[in-house]
Amino acid sequence: MEGMRCPHCGHMITVTTANGREIPIFAEKDLVTSHHYSNVDQQKLFTILYVRCPNPKCKKPTCQIFGSALEFTGFERTLVPRYRGISLPDYIPEHIRNDYIEACSILEDSPKASSTLSRRCLQGMIRDFWNVRIEEKPTLEKEIRAIKEKIPDRLFKALLDFKSLGNIGAHPEIDTSLIVDIEPGEATKLIKLIELLISDWYIRDHEDNQLLDEISKIKADKDSLRNGQQSDSANN
């Protein structure tokens, strides 16, 4: 068995017979009409992998299913746990948190709808964090271009690529409720980009401001202590 990363805690797992099990799913020959199975008694269609994390602080199970037959080549789905994304702090605006959580919750069932919510989440973040306001015919592309000078060039290009993914009609930015045509796995990458932006924009900004406030408080406390010592010295 191969290694994997626990989706619950991130611990690297060497999958062995002690902590994991592969369960084949077969189709009986008489249940399958295709000539593809005519020379075998059974055909393995899928393989289910069950693994329990060996990390003492986790011990949670993961269950994945993989395509084994030729027509299911490349099929892969995590059954447990469903992707729930990262935990978002309360200081991130509620509408952004809601769009992100919903995009994660429907990722497996509808990548198209998930990617649409990711686009809307991105638009909400640009408007909120960068205070972007396009008065005349606001579009996601205009809003991305409005922050071009404030972000790295590679990120700027990635955001434009994000916006352009899929074919959602002639004016995709006007109606963010339109469903995007997207390939399997792409919706996950869009969510990962949203997570990167949340970390770089909101979380890092909050932590930086928190650190600066703490430095200012240390300075104020030291000044107060110094002034108190000087007052005591003068009284003596």
Side-chain angles (χ1 to χ4, degrees):
M1 296 184 185
E2 298 180 354
M4 61 176 289
R5 187 178 295 276
C6 176
H8 298 281
C9 69
H11 183 79
M12 285 302 302
I13 304 173
T14 299
V15 183
T16 67
T17 53
N19 60 18
R21 182 182 178 189
E22 288 187 353
I23 306 169
I25 305 297
F26 292 98
E28 299 292 342
K29 182 181 68 175
D30 58 358
L31 297 179
V32 181
T33 59
S34 171
H35 67 280
H36 179 70
Y37 308 107
S38 60
N39 296 323
V40 293
D41 293 331
Q42 291 182 319
Q43 168 68 26
K44 185 165 73 169
L45 299 182
F46 301 96
T47 298
I48 293 178
L49 174 64
Y50 172 85
V51 179
R52 184 170 291 278
C53 180
N55 179 5
K57 296 181 179 180
C58 181
K59 293 292 186 180
K60 294 179 180 178
T62 297
C63 185
Q64 298 175 322
I65 183 169
F66 303 90
S68 299
L70 182 63
E71 56 264 56
F72 299 120
T73 299
F75 177 84
E76 179 179 340
R77 178 71 61 89
T78 298
L79 304 178
V80 177
R82 301 299 296 271
Y83 187 72
R84 295 180 176 86
I86 61 176
S87 178
L88 300 183
D90 292 341
Y91 55 76
I92 295 175
E94 184 177 10
H95 68 279
I96 292 174
R97 285 186 280 127
N98 289 343
D99 283 345
Y100 169 76
I101 291 170
E102 189 173 354
C104 292
S105 68
I106 62 174
L107 177 61
E108 294 284 356
D109 296 325
S110 180
K112 295 179 181 180
S114 176
S115 66
T116 300
L117 284 163
S118 293
R119 286 166 55 91
R120 191 167 76 179
C121 187
L122 170 62
Q123 192 164 32
M125 291 168 65
I126 291 175
R127 291 176 177 178
D128 173 74
F129 186 80
W130 297 105
N131 197 28
V132 170
R133 298 290 184 270
I134 305 296
E135 298 299 334
E136 186 175 351
K137 296 182 179 179
T139 67
L140 179 53
E141 179 169 352
K142 287 181 181 179
E143 290 162 345
I144 293 172
R145 292 192 181 279
I147 63 172
K148 179 179 180 180
E149 306 302 323
K150 302 176 182 179
I151 60 176
D153 291 341
R154 289 189 64 187
L155 178 56
F156 173 70
K157 182 181 182 304
L159 295 186
L160 288 180
D161 291 342
F162 188 157
K163 189 275 308 179
S164 299
L165 278 174
N167 177 20
I168 55 175
H171 303 288
E173 304 87 358
I174 292 176
D175 185 358
T176 56
S177 67
L178 292 174
I179 300 300
V180 183
D181 290 330
I182 190 167
E183 297 298 323
E186 291 176 342
T188 302
K189 292 182 175 61
L190 300 187
I191 284 179
K192 291 297 182 183
L193 179 55
I194 292 295
E195 291 173 354
L196 177 100
L197 297 178
I198 287 173
S199 176
D200 284 354
W201 294 354
Y202 286 96
I203 296 177
R204 182 176 299 175
D205 183 69
H206 177 81
E207 292 177 349
D208 287 351
N209 286 328
Q210 194 172 46
L211 175 61
L212 297 179
D213 289 342
E214 289 171 355
I215 296 296
S216 296
K217 184 178 185 304
I218 292 173
K219 171 64 165 55
D221 289 345
K222 296 302 181 184
D223 287 345
S224 177
L225 179 61
R226 185 182 299 111
N227 292 335
Q229 291 175 343
Q230 289 175 348
S231 177
D232 292 342
S233 177
N235 292 334
N236 292 333

